[in-house]
Amino acid sequence: MEHKVALAHIGSLNPLGGPSKKLLPPTMQPPVRGRGSKMKILAGLLAVLAQQIVWHTVDCQGIKACANDEVEVDMVCRCNDSFYRDATENDLVPVLTCDDFLTISVSKCLLEALSRSPNNSYLSNLDMNCTMTSSMLNNIRVYSFAIPTQNGICGNVMEINGDQKTFSNILHIPSQTNGLLNVPFSCTYTSGAQNGTALVDYPPTPPGNRIDLAINDTGSILTIMTAYSDSSYARPIDKDNYEVAAGSTLYFGIISDFLDSETFVLRAENCFAGPTSNSASSEKVLLISGGCADENPVPTTVDSNGESLEVRFSVDMFIFQSATTLHLFCDVQLCLRAGAGSCTACTSQRRADELGPGSGTLRIGPISVTDYDRLTSGSCSGKKHNTLLCLSFPCLMVEERAH
């Protein structure tokens, strides 16, 4: 069955638009006349023949095989380095079609420009039949997975709701430097319909300060993270206008609205801060790692974690030299109190996608760091009664100012 793709989605893979330029076939030279060497004639014919063979190897239809985001170098199509020069991972818009197969496609050159390895991508289950193929989609070269609409194959998870079936999966795109990029996607089919409804959860919606944590596949509980201005965790700061003076201390409380505190406790596995709402950004600093305060230049105190349904910790405010605002993230999970050594213990850091059911990520921000210009003259050179930290990436640079 021919796959149908929404034009709006195709356009996202073809930002330049327009058809590919056609490559003119090599010009046939007229026969050599007179007393020319037979060897020269033979060499010329062989050269022309070789050109024709290379030409037809590129495309038997006589059409240039290079994509819009590629350039031809010595008859080989290579990614155009300048095409995605200013691209970020939020520019990645996978294309998903839903018919007899769930077919998800991603731009090859865009992923390579983002220092990712599209040819090493994989699905939730490393099935031998789940292999990636390369093709052209609206003059953009893409890598694609075509997955049959069957439960379990390639890691598909099927859910039935009335007359609808939903098949969900995750595309994992590795990188040597930026960690694993996870792209959840799903196709929902209604009985009697030929095609399904496609949903790609990317770019990811930034997490908020509220999240529902699943419990034993039977329900969920509301979990909220709040910022406070006092050590008694009694005075929340204005949630619509987070403003904190540089060098002050900010207190964070995370509470699960659940009565069964005898069975479950809440644990903050990782907490980190960054200058943007993108939790996957490489420009961030760990505050809590493996349930305990991380050994980093930013003073962090964990008052309570994994002991009840409330987590409490505090952070001395700092600034990134690239911004005057902060976003704070916490990967949290529900933990069984029985035999709860792992709930309170310091463990090695685990990524959010390794925490499993009953987990999620919370965010507070942007937090505006005020008095920045007055205290530091814009360069972290001022002095204050508290310590002022300035963080710069890709290298972490810390300037500690005198009390």
Side-chain angles (χ1 to χ4, degrees):
M1 179 179 295
E2 181 182 358
H3 292 183
K4 299 179 180 179
V5 185
L7 290 178
H9 285 182
I10 294 179
S12 67
L13 286 174
N14 185 20
L16 291 185
S20 299
K21 296 180 180 179
K22 293 190 176 183
L23 181 65
L24 296 176
T27 303
M28 296 291 292
Q29 299 296 328
V32 178
R33 302 182 184 277
R35 296 181 296 176
S37 168
K38 292 183 178 180
M39 292 300 296
K40 290 184 178 180
I41 296 175
L42 179 59
L45 290 174
L46 289 175
V48 171
L49 180 59
Q51 288 180 335
Q52 293 285 16
I53 292 174
V54 171
W55 168 255
H56 289 299
T57 300
V58 173
D59 193 313
C60 294
Q61 301 298 322
I63 299 175
K64 180 180 177 181
C66 292
N68 280 353
D69 55 355
E70 294 176 330
V71 292
E72 182 185 329
V73 180
D74 296 330
M75 296 297 290
V76 176
C77 296
R78 303 185 187 279
C79 291
N80 186 344
D81 293 337
S82 64
F83 198 89
Y84 297 111
R85 179 176 298 157
D86 299 322
T88 68
E89 291 193 341
N90 284 337
D91 295 315
L92 172 63
V93 183
V95 173
L96 176 65
T97 62
C98 304
D99 41 41
D100 290 343
F101 293 85
L102 286 69
T103 304
I104 187 164
S105 304
V106 289
S107 167
K108 170 184 178 292
C109 289
L110 173 56
L111 287 175
E112 290 182 357
L114 297 173
S115 300
R116 296 208 166 267
S117 305
N119 55 318
N120 293 326
S121 301
Y122 58 94
L123 300 170
S124 294
N125 189 340
L126 298 177
D127 193 307
M128 292 180 61
N129 296 321
C130 307
T131 56
M132 178 172 272
T133 59
S134 175
S135 61
M136 298 285 281
L137 181 58
N138 203 43
N139 290 326
I140 296 293
R141 194 175 305 282
V142 297
Y143 280 127
S144 303
F145 279 103
I147 314 161
T149 53
Q150 299 177 29
N151 186 36
I153 189 168
C154 302
N156 273 350
V157 175
M158 182 180 70
E159 295 182 3
I160 300 177
N161 183 12
D163 63 345
Q164 291 186 331
K165 289 183 179 180
T166 299
F167 297 90
S168 303
N169 212 316
I170 301 177
L171 175 62
H172 304 279
I173 308 174
S175 169
Q176 295 181 348
T177 57
N178 297 328
L180 197 63
L181 178 64
N182 301 310
V183 182
F185 61 96
S186 64
C187 287
T188 299
Y189 299 86
T190 303
S191 297
Q194 184 178 9
N195 298 320
T197 301
L199 174 63
V200 180
D201 189 13
Y202 195 92
T205 301
N209 72 321
R210 294 169 175 260
I211 194 171
D212 290 318
L213 299 181
I215 303 178
N216 297 336
D217 298 326
T218 60
S220 61
I221 61 171
L222 179 63
T223 302
I224 302 174
M225 181 162 65
T226 305
Y228 300 89
S229 61
D230 63 313
S231 59
S232 62
Y233 296 84
R235 295 193 296 272
I237 64 174
D238 186 354
K239 65 181 180 63
D240 296 321
N241 186 24
Y242 292 121
E243 288 189 352
V244 182
S248 63
T249 299
L250 194 58
Y251 301 84
F252 296 91
I254 308 173
I255 300 177
S256 284
D257 186 16
F258 194 45
L259 298 178
D260 192 2
S261 59
E262 298 298 321
T263 303
F264 294 98
V265 295
L266 183 65
R267 172 179 168 90
E269 189 71 25
N270 309 303
C271 292
F272 53 95
T276 72
S277 61
N278 180 13
S279 62
S281 171
S282 60
E283 191 176 3
K284 60 187 177 184
V285 58
L286 268 174
L287 306 172
I288 295 176
S289 176
C292 293
D294 189 76
E295 295 181 1
N296 65 71
V298 179
T300 302
T301 301
V302 178
D303 296 324
S304 175
N305 192 13
E307 301 172 6
S308 66
L309 289 172
E310 182 176 4
V311 174
R312 290 183 172 186
F313 66 97
S314 61
V315 179
D316 286 3
M317 281 294 95
F318 61 96
I319 54 175
F320 289 91
Q321 287 195 338
S322 61
T324 58
T325 60
L326 296 174
H327 293 258
L328 189 135
F329 305 83
C330 278
D331 301 326
V332 298
Q333 69 172 144
L334 290 172
C335 190
L336 289 174
R337 181 183 288 276
S342 62
C343 294
T344 57
C346 300
T347 61
S348 59
Q349 184 187 1
R350 294 186 295 168
R351 298 192 310 266
D353 60 344
E354 297 175 326
L355 298 180
S359 65
T361 301
L362 294 154
R363 176 183 66 90
I364 282 183
I367 302 171
S368 298
V369 183
T370 62
D371 292 336
Y372 169 79
D373 292 332
R374 180 174 63 83
L375 293 173
T376 68
S377 299
S379 62
C380 295
S381 60
K383 294 183 179 181
K384 195 176 185 291
H385 63 280
N386 286 338
T387 298
L388 180 60
L389 298 177
C390 302
L391 305 184
S392 177
F393 286 79
C395 297
L396 179 65
M397 181 184 70
V398 180
E399 297 182 14
E400 186 171 331
R401 294 303 165 195
H403 290 275

